[in-house]
Amino acid sequence: MFQKVKKVIFYLNSLVSFFRMVDPKVSVIVPVYNLERYLPRVVDSLRTQSADRGLWEAVFVDDRSPDGSLDLLNSLTSGESNMKVIPRRENGGLSAARNTGIKYCNGEFIAQLDGDDMLESGAMDVLANYLGENPEVEYFYSSHRQVDVDGNHIKTVTSMPFDADALFHYNFLSHLKGYSRGVNDQIGGFRDLYAEDWDHALRANVVLSPEQFGQIPDVLALYTMRPGSIIHTTPDETKREDVCSFLKPHVEAKVGGPVRMFW
């Protein structure tokens, strides 16, 4: 009887080891809402990655798009072994879409890419190598290029070294960025509020040391300057109010008391 139990345990451990072995290093979460025009180039930028397919996966989350985004995604990713499409039953916004993607992904690290942005062809190779060479890193970010809606270069934005205090002034953790699954679980994922990715980074800043944030100088992502995006259509006055409201509890937690926020 004891020998049989040992055999069962051995096979179970072998099975666990196998699934750990085939799990990708990085999961790229791509929220999608009404982005039919941009999806072919986004998927193509992932499909043409030079990195081994076993190192990464892409998880597209359609947030109940009223246009043809979901059907197009299913068509574009058909036959791609490391890409999956998750349709949400109801529209929940960016944070809900990201949390859904994280729920269904398998990577040790989670990278976030907007549904109208793209990756450079060697991005996943650079990222996998960087994470392998810097085991202390739990949160990473890279340089990126700004492009117009047709993919034409506008300018290159170089990532800056991590500065915990500067993070309270502006979100310099830009495209491409990501974090370990453990850190995301520890801080509870994304919250449904203004600047959800900035909020995510600030909460990670509480539980991580500066050395656990990793700056990647390489240009890994192409950020689309899209006129119809929320950041370009929200009135400046509303942005100011939202930023002050969003930052206030973070600053109060840092200084240990009430503060008056103003622009």
Side-chain angles (χ1 to χ4, degrees):
M1 180 66 180
F2 179 69
Q3 292 299 323
K4 287 183 178 180
V5 171
K6 285 181 67 177
K7 283 186 178 180
V8 170
I9 293 174
F10 171 79
Y11 285 123
L12 285 175
N13 286 336
S14 298
L15 193 61
V16 169
S17 297
F18 171 76
F19 280 111
R20 282 179 178 167
M21 183 171 61
V22 299
D23 277 350
K25 182 74 172 178
V26 180
S27 294
V28 183
I29 308 299
V30 188
V32 173
Y33 183 74
N34 278 8
L35 295 173
E36 192 173 7
R37 170 182 178 181
Y38 302 94
L39 291 177
R41 70 183 196 181
V42 177
V43 174
D44 192 56
S45 80
L46 288 160
R47 184 188 293 117
T48 56
Q49 287 296 305
S50 58
D52 188 293
R53 291 294 182 95
L55 286 175
W56 63 278
E57 67 174 353
V59 180
F60 296 87
V61 181
D62 181 72
D63 196 23
R64 196 68 177 178
S65 298
D67 67 356
S69 291
L70 180 56
D71 289 339
L72 182 58
L73 272 175
N74 285 326
S75 174
L76 292 170
T77 61
S78 176
E80 299 294 335
S81 60
N82 66 335
M83 295 186 189
K84 65 181 78 170
V85 178
I86 310 296
R88 284 182 50 83
R89 293 183 178 180
E90 59 184 21
N91 176 261
L94 196 51
S95 292
R98 284 192 174 133
N99 288 334
T100 297
I102 292 169
K103 178 181 177 182
Y104 285 95
C105 76
N106 300 303
E108 177 186 351
F109 284 87
I110 299 157
Q112 58 186 64
L113 182 71
D114 289 343
D116 54 355
D117 295 340
M118 297 167 283
L119 292 183
E120 295 283 10
S121 60
M124 299 311 298
D125 262 327
V126 172
L127 183 53
N129 289 334
Y130 176 83
L131 292 173
E133 294 169 0
N134 297 274
E136 75 284 358
V137 168
E138 298 285 341
Y139 215 111
F140 60 84
Y141 57 102
S142 75
S143 301
H144 68 275
R145 284 197 291 126
Q146 292 182 356
V147 298
D148 64 19
V149 293
D150 296 316
N152 299 312
H153 176 80
I154 298 175
K155 70 175 182 178
T156 298
V157 180
T158 303
S159 60
M160 60 173 277
F162 184 76
D163 184 326
D165 290 329
L167 191 57
F168 284 88
H169 295 272
Y170 66 105
N171 185 16
F172 57 85
L173 275 61
S174 190
H175 313 269
L176 176 74
K177 63 184 165 194
Y179 31 83
S180 70
R181 180 180 294 276
V183 166
N184 183 74
D185 290 345
Q186 186 176 356
I187 65 176
F190 287 89
R191 301 193 295 191
D192 184 18
L193 40 67
Y194 181 80
E196 79 296 328
D197 57 340
W198 192 0
D199 172 72
H200 191 276
L202 282 169
R203 285 185 289 127
N205 190 30
V206 175
V207 301
L208 296 177
S209 65
E211 294 74 24
Q212 292 176 292
F213 284 86
Q215 173 215 7
I216 303 174
D218 305 68
V219 173
L220 301 188
L222 283 68
Y223 172 60
T224 302
M225 302 295 288
R226 183 165 58 93
S229 64
I230 294 175
I231 195 168
H232 291 114
T233 57
T234 304
D236 287 343
E237 186 61 33
T238 302
K239 288 180 188 175
R240 292 167 185 164
E241 292 175 359
D242 287 343
V243 168
C244 288
S245 176
F246 144 74
L247 274 179
K248 192 172 189 291
H250 287 289
V251 177
E252 288 179 336
K254 180 176 175 61
V255 302
V259 297
R260 183 170 64 90
M261 300 292 291
F262 60 92
W263 192 265

